[in-house]
Amino acid sequence: MLEKIGQSMELGHTDYGPHWFRRYAAFWGPVEQFVYLDARQITLGNIEVFFDALNVGFDIVYADAALNQVYEAGELRNEFLRAGGARGFISNAWASRRGVFDIEQLVTLSREVAINRRQLNARNTDQAFINYCCDAQRLKMARLADVMGDLCQSGWARNTGRIYRDGSGLARLWDHGGLDHRKKVLLVHWAGLPFELSGPKGNLLMKYTNLGKRQVAIQLLYEIRRKPIKMLRSRRTANNLFNRVKQWILHGKA
């Protein structure tokens, strides 16, 4: 049923998006509280802080946010903003507890989502869906850093600064002049970015993915060979053509 909800939200951008919805079975799973972390990130601290924040009295605690990756500008977004919602949290790292939703509620909410589909992000289906559900139900939500303090507001790999370990072994961000200078880094994620050794925070990938020297060399060579193609794709016309060809290959239509 969850994958059917995912399929109903697809606008043709991916052929695997519906699988992302399986994660929401955790709301009626065997554990009382849970943290969801996807695979495109590295944890550098103790994730038990999610539970500490959750127990302050929240239904959802999330690590990062990007409103434009959830809602399009418009009346739906403004309605939720006026109600104190529209946090636009990224669905790659968040915590909640059993019973916040059940499958019947999600099915009902999916019908509302279908009516408002064009006001939600076209590609990030699971992310837009769970945000809509939380906003429509007026859940109590908070960003982890806002609750706990001394944490970076964002762990996106393209953020500025250098990650280091302090005298106690805690990961912190050195970004002199930045708002998160010397604050703790709980995790780093590559949402919307290629998982590349030559890319943003690639040094962390080299350190924590357990690749041998030969594997690192092969991977770097592969990435270097792809650079001209990626540079070409960064141009709008070429990128549009690339996506049309991709849709034709996946679905038989451009």
Side-chain angles (χ1 to χ4, degrees), residues 182-194:
R182 290 184 173 175
K183 289 187 177 180
K184 289 184 290 188
V185 180
L186 178 63
L187 55 84
V188 177
H189 69 86
W190 280 260
L193 299 173

Side-chain angles (χ1 to χ4, degrees):
M1 182 57 72
L2 288 171
E3 290 192 11
K4 288 183 178 179
I5 293 175
Q7 187 60 51
S8 72
M9 290 194 64
E10 273 300 324
L11 298 179
H13 290 277
T14 71
D15 58 350
Y16 48 80
H19 304 320
W20 296 336
F21 284 70
R22 297 173 181 174
R23 69 189 71 177
Y24 301 130
F27 285 116
W28 49 89
V31 296
E32 184 63 30
Q33 296 180 327
F34 61 89
V35 176
Y36 174 82
L37 299 172
D38 77 12
R40 293 173 55 80
Q41 57 194 306
I42 291 174
T43 57
L44 299 175
N46 190 339
I47 64 171
E48 287 186 4
V49 294
F50 275 103
F51 298 120
D52 296 335
L54 202 61
N55 290 331
V56 172
F58 294 103
D59 300 309
I60 297 280
V61 173
Y62 55 91
D64 216 333
L67 185 56
N68 287 332
Q69 297 300 315
V70 173
Y71 295 113
E72 301 293 338
E75 181 50 36
L76 179 66
R77 173 164 150 172
N78 292 339
E79 176 187 339
F80 286 145
L81 283 169
R82 288 191 294 266
R87 305 299 179 87
F89 71 89
I90 298 177
S91 62
N92 63 358
W94 52 280
S96 189
R97 64 178 185 275
R98 184 175 58 202
V100 168
F101 292 109
D102 58 37
I103 186 60
E104 289 77 17
Q105 285 176 300
L106 294 187
V107 169
T108 299
L109 287 164
S110 71
R111 299 189 185 107
E112 296 179 18
V113 168
I115 298 172
N116 296 287
R117 183 65 185 92
R118 294 296 174 178
Q119 297 192 65
L120 303 174
N121 184 276
R123 183 181 178 85
N124 302 323
T125 53
D126 67 298
Q127 188 165 279
F129 177 74
I130 193 62
N131 272 268
Y132 178 91
C133 292
C134 293
D135 285 327
Q137 297 296 99
R138 302 292 193 266
L139 296 188
K140 292 174 285 186
M141 297 180 285
R143 196 172 194 147
L144 180 62
D146 291 338
V147 181
M148 304 307 296
D150 195 31
L151 280 176
C152 290
Q153 287 284 318
S154 172
W156 196 37
R158 279 187 64 178
N159 289 343
T160 59
R162 175 180 60 84
I163 297 173
Y164 69 99
R165 294 281 180 177
D166 66 14
S168 301
L170 298 174
R172 294 186 179 273
L173 180 70
W174 184 270
D175 187 23
H176 195 268
L179 295 177
D180 286 333
H181 181 51
R182 290 184 173 175
K183 289 187 177 180
K184 289 184 290 188
V185 180
L186 178 63
L187 55 84
V188 177
H189 69 86
W190 280 260
L193 299 173
F195 219 43
E196 293 182 338
L197 301 182
S198 60
K201 302 294 189 296
N203 60 311
L204 293 178
L205 295 178
M206 288 190 190
K207 182 175 182 178
Y208 292 107
T209 51
N210 295 321
L211 293 176
K213 290 183 179 180
R214 185 172 183 274
Q215 292 172 302
V216 168
I218 292 173
Q219 178 63 26
L220 286 173
L221 180 61
Y222 170 74
E223 292 173 13
I224 291 170
R225 291 177 64 185
R226 290 188 65 220
K227 289 295 181 184
I229 298 175
K230 291 176 65 179
M231 290 175 65
L232 181 63
R233 282 196 61 200
S234 68
R235 298 181 180 273
R236 183 175 181 181
T237 302
N239 190 51
N240 288 340
L241 177 61
F242 175 88
N243 284 320
R244 290 183 65 183
V245 172
K246 178 182 175 182
Q247 290 302 313
W248 181 79
I249 293 173
L250 292 175
H251 307 289
K253 58 182 179 180

